[in-house]
Amino acid sequence: MLIKTIKSLYILFLLHVMVSPLYAQSKNLKVHEDQWNQINAVVINTFKENNYEKGLQYAEIAYQYAIENLGREHPDTLTSINNLALLYQALNRLNKAEYFFKEAYQLRKKRLGIEHPKTLNSLNHLAKLYRKQGRLKEAVPLFEKALEVSETVQGLDHPKTLALQNDLAKLYKKQGRLDKVELLYKQILQTSEKALGKEHPNSLSSINQLAALYNFQGKYEKVEPLYIKALEISKTTLGKDHISTLKAMNNLGSFYQARGSLRKAEPLFKKALENSEKALGKEHPNTLKSMTNLALLYTAQGRYGHAGDLYKEVLELSEKVLGKEHIDTLTAASNLASLYQSQKRYGEAEKLFKQSIEISEKVRGKVHPETLSSINHLAGLYNAQGRYGEAESIVLKSLKFCENELGKEHPHTLTVINNLGFLFESQGRYREAEEYYKKALTLRRKILGENHPDTLTSINNLAFLYQSQGRHREADPLYKEALLIKERGLRGENQPVP
C-alpha cells in the first residue's frame, strides 16, 4: 500500500513539473495579450480622432510588442499589421501601406484560411489601395477573388457580397468593360428585388444604377423607362416627399435635360425643389442639389439672371451648412465661376476659381481630382482671355505634381496630359497638341485598355485635331476605330480592336 502511495505521489510530482511551465506560459500569454490590448486601444482612439501620426507611433509600439511577446502569426500581431497599413494609407504613405496590407493578407490566409472574414477584409483593403493608386490591372483580380469567396461563404444576397459586386462593377466601368458592368448591375438588381423586395431602397438604387449605365452607353431607349419605374415605385411606397422620390425626380429631369428636352426637365426640377424645401428644409443637402439642377437648366436655357441668383444662394447656404471646405461648396463656387466666365465677368470668375483651388489643395491635396478639375477650369478661363502663358504654366505645374506624387502612368496624370493637348489645340499650337494627345492615347491604351471611355476620348481628340488641319488620311482611321469601339461597347463586346 505504501509503495503504491509513493508511486502515485511521484506521478503527481512529474505531472506538476510538466504542467507548471505550460500553465505559466499560458498565464504569461494572457498578460501579454492584455498589455497589447491596452496599447491597441490608444491606436484605435487616435485613429478615430484622425490623429494619424500619433496613431502610427502607438501602432508601431503595439506591433513590436506583439512580435516579441506573441509571435508573428498571433491574431493580435495580425491586427497590428493591418492597423499599420491603415495608418500609412491615411498618411498617404502608400508604399508602406501596400507592404503591410500584403503581409496581413498572406499571414491571415495562412493562419485563418482564405474564407475567414478577416482574410477577406485584408484582401479588400489591398484591392482598394490598388484602386486608389489607379492600378486597375492589379485591383480587379483581387476584387474578383474577394467576390468569389464572399459569394461562396456569405451568399449572393449578403450585403458584403452586393457591396463587392458594386466595387467590381465600378472598376470594370473604368476599364471600359461595360458588358461586365451591365451583367453585375442586373445581378445586383435581381438579387435585391428577390431578397429585399422591389420597393426596398436598395432595389430602387439598383434601378437608378442600371439606368445610369445605359445612359452612359447611349442606350437611351432603356434609360427613361427605368427612371420612370424608380420614380413611380418611390412615390407609391415612400411618398412624394421622400428623399428617394426627390432623387428619382432629379435623375429623370437630368436625363431629359441631357437629351435636350428642357421643357420636360423644368417641371421635374421645380417640383423636386418645392417638395424638398417643404419636407427637408432649405438648408438640406438634397434641397441644395435640387437648386443646383434648376440653376444648370436655367443656364442651358440662357436665363442667366435666374441661374445666377440660384447659384449664389446655393453657395451661401453651402458655406453656412457644410463649411467652405466641403466638396459641395467647392462645386457651388465652381458653378458660379463658370457662369461668370460665360458672361465675360472674368475678374469674379477668377477669384472664385482661385479660392476653390486654394481650399481643395489644402483639404484634399494637389493631385486630388477635384483640385485638378479646378485648375483646369482656371486654365480655361486664362485661355479665354488670351492669357496663354499663365494657362500653360498652371497646367504644367499640375502635371509635375501628378507625375511626382502619383506616377507618370496614373489615370489622373493622363487626364492632365490630355488637358494640355486641348489647351495647345485651342491656341493653335497643333504640333504640341498632337504630341500630348498622342502621349495620352498611348498611355491610356496601355494602362486603361482599348475600350476604356478615356481611351475613346483620346482617339476622338487626336482624330479631330487631324481633321481640323485637313489631315483626313490620318483622321479617318481613328474615327473608324472610335466608332468600332463604341459599337462593341453597346453590344457588350470587349475584345481587342484588330
Side-chain angles (χ1 to χ4, degrees):
M1 181 68 181
L2 182 61
I3 293 171
K4 282 185 180 180
T5 303
I6 291 170
K7 278 185 178 179
S8 297
L9 288 171
Y10 181 65
I11 291 167
L12 285 172
F13 170 74
L14 287 177
L15 285 170
H16 175 74
V17 170
M18 291 168 65
V19 171
S20 288
L22 293 173
Y23 173 75
Q25 186 179 354
S26 174
K27 188 176 180 182
N28 224 17
L29 181 65
K30 181 70 169 63
V31 170
H32 288 314
E33 287 174 342
D34 289 343
Q35 185 64 43
W36 178 87
N37 277 319
Q38 289 180 40
I39 305 169
N40 194 55
V42 180
V43 176
I44 293 169
N45 287 333
T46 52
F47 192 90
K48 286 178 180 177
E49 293 166 1
N50 298 327
N51 191 347
Y52 303 130
E53 288 288 358
K54 184 179 177 182
L56 183 60
Q57 292 173 13
Y58 280 97
E60 286 172 342
I61 293 169
Y63 171 66
Q64 289 301 326
Y65 186 88
I67 287 287
E68 291 170 11
N69 297 286
L70 302 173
R72 188 160 195 80
E73 295 183 8
H74 188 279
D76 291 346
T77 308
L78 302 186
T79 299
S80 276
I81 294 170
N82 192 65
N83 289 345
L84 279 170
L86 289 170
L87 284 159
Y88 278 126
Q89 181 175 253
L91 290 165
N92 210 35
R93 294 164 66 178
L94 302 184
N95 288 337
K96 283 276 193 181
E98 180 182 355
Y99 171 82
F100 283 107
F101 277 141
K102 279 183 175 177
E103 187 80 356
Y105 171 58
Q106 293 299 336
L107 288 173
R108 279 176 167 170
K109 185 167 71 169
K110 177 184 175 183
R111 169 83 188 227
L112 306 172
I114 188 67
E115 296 183 350
H116 193 279
K118 287 190 174 181
T119 308
L120 190 59
N121 192 41
S122 291
L123 184 58
N124 279 334
H125 281 313
L126 184 58
K128 287 177 180 178
L129 176 69
Y130 288 149
R131 181 180 66 187
K132 182 179 180 180
Q133 293 175 297
R135 296 161 62 180
L136 304 187
K137 289 182 179 178
E138 292 165 278
V140 166
L142 296 184
F143 274 115
E144 287 174 338
K145 184 63 180 176
L147 177 58
E148 180 190 335
V149 173
S150 187
E151 286 177 344
T152 303
V153 177
Q154 298 176 131
L156 284 170
D157 58 356
H158 193 278
K160 287 189 176 179
T161 303
L162 294 173
L164 279 166
Q165 286 177 329
N166 266 312
D167 285 337
L168 186 55
K170 287 172 186 175
L171 281 182
Y172 284 150
K173 188 175 180 182
K174 286 184 177 181
Q175 291 182 313
R177 300 162 72 180
L178 301 184
D179 56 329
K180 287 186 173 290
V181 180
E182 185 174 344
L183 190 66
L184 278 170
Y185 280 167
K186 283 180 175 177
Q187 188 176 337
I188 292 166
L189 176 58
Q190 184 180 357
T191 304
S192 294
E193 287 184 339
K194 183 180 177 182
L196 306 171
K198 291 184 178 181
E199 300 165 354
H200 192 276
N202 286 6
S203 300
L204 292 175
S205 178
S206 295
I207 293 172
N208 285 319
Q209 197 167 239
L210 184 58
L213 173 67
Y214 286 146
N215 195 34
F216 181 78
Q217 291 175 296
K219 297 180 179 180
Y220 302 121
E221 73 285 353
K222 294 186 176 183
V223 179
E224 186 178 7
L226 284 173
Y227 277 143
I228 290 174
K229 177 184 176 182
L231 179 56
E232 291 306 316
I233 291 173
S234 192
K235 270 184 184 176
T236 304
T237 58
L238 302 172
K240 63 183 178 64
D241 296 333
H242 192 276
I243 192 165
S244 293
T245 306
L246 301 176
K247 286 180 179 178
M249 291 173 76
N250 277 316
N251 285 340
L252 184 57
S254 295
F255 169 70
Y256 286 144
Q257 181 178 341
R259 299 297 296 152
S261 302
L262 303 186
R263 288 184 180 179
K264 284 186 177 182
E266 186 170 349
L268 284 165
F269 286 147
K270 283 183 172 178
K271 193 64 179 175
L273 177 56
E274 179 189 335
N275 291 354
S276 190
E277 284 183 345
K278 179 183 173 184
L280 305 171
K282 201 160 195 174
E283 297 180 352
H284 191 277
N286 194 76
T287 306
L288 299 180
K289 175 66 176 172
S290 293
M291 290 172 72
T292 300
N293 285 340
L294 188 56
L296 289 167
L297 178 74
Y298 286 151
T299 303
Q301 292 173 326
R303 298 160 68 182
Y304 299 127
H306 292 300
D309 290 340
L310 281 172
Y311 282 140
K312 285 177 187 175
E313 191 172 4
V314 171
L315 180 57
E316 288 170 8
L317 290 172
S318 296
E319 287 179 343
K320 177 186 173 184
V321 178
L322 305 172
K324 290 187 175 182
E325 297 179 350
H326 194 277
I327 190 167
D328 288 350
T329 306
L330 296 179
T331 301
S334 183
N335 286 335
L336 182 57
S338 295
L339 178 68
Y340 286 153
Q341 182 178 340
S342 67
Q343 295 176 300
K344 294 185 169 41
R345 296 163 66 177
Y346 296 132
E348 294 164 281
E350 182 175 351
K351 182 181 177 182
L352 284 171
F353 281 139
K354 282 184 172 178
Q355 285 176 354
S356 295
I357 292 169
E358 183 182 347
I359 293 169
S360 192
E361 284 183 343
K362 175 188 169 187
V363 178
R364 294 171 185 82
K366 294 180 185 293
V367 296
H368 190 275
E370 291 299 323
T371 308
L372 298 176
S373 177
S374 295
I375 290 170
N376 197 49
H377 280 309
L378 182 59
L381 176 68
Y382 287 155
N383 208 45
Q385 295 174 276
R387 297 160 65 181
Y388 302 131
E390 291 170 273
E392 181 181 346
S393 175
I394 61 170
V395 180
L396 282 171
K397 187 178 178 182
S398 178
L399 177 59
K400 186 178 179 181
F401 280 128
C402 285
E403 287 179 340
N404 289 341
E405 294 193 31
L406 301 174
K408 292 185 177 182
E409 297 184 346
H410 192 280
H412 295 346
T413 307
L414 306 188
T415 297
V416 180
I417 292 171
N418 182 74
N419 291 345
L420 265 171
F422 183 79
L423 184 69
F424 290 137
E425 181 185 3
S426 65
Q427 295 174 11
R429 297 161 64 179
Y430 299 130
R431 184 182 59 78
E432 291 156 292
E434 181 178 352
E435 177 190 341
Y436 280 97
Y437 278 154
K438 279 184 172 178
K439 185 176 182 181
L441 176 56
T442 300
L443 289 172
R444 280 173 167 172
R445 286 191 201 274
K446 175 186 173 185
I447 306 304
L448 304 175
E450 294 284 352
N451 301 301
H452 192 278
D454 288 352
T455 307
L456 187 59
T457 297
S458 283
I459 293 170
N460 278 315
N461 286 344
L462 188 57
F464 185 81
L465 178 69
Y466 288 148
Q467 183 183 331
S468 66
Q469 298 174 79
R471 298 162 64 180
H472 301 297
R473 287 185 180 179
E474 293 163 284
D476 288 347
L478 289 170
Y479 278 133
K480 287 177 182 177
E481 182 185 357
L483 182 61
L484 181 59
I485 291 171
K486 192 164 186 179
E487 285 176 348
R488 286 179 184 276
L490 292 174
R491 293 197 303 266
E493 300 171 14
N494 278 293
Q495 297 91 344
V497 178

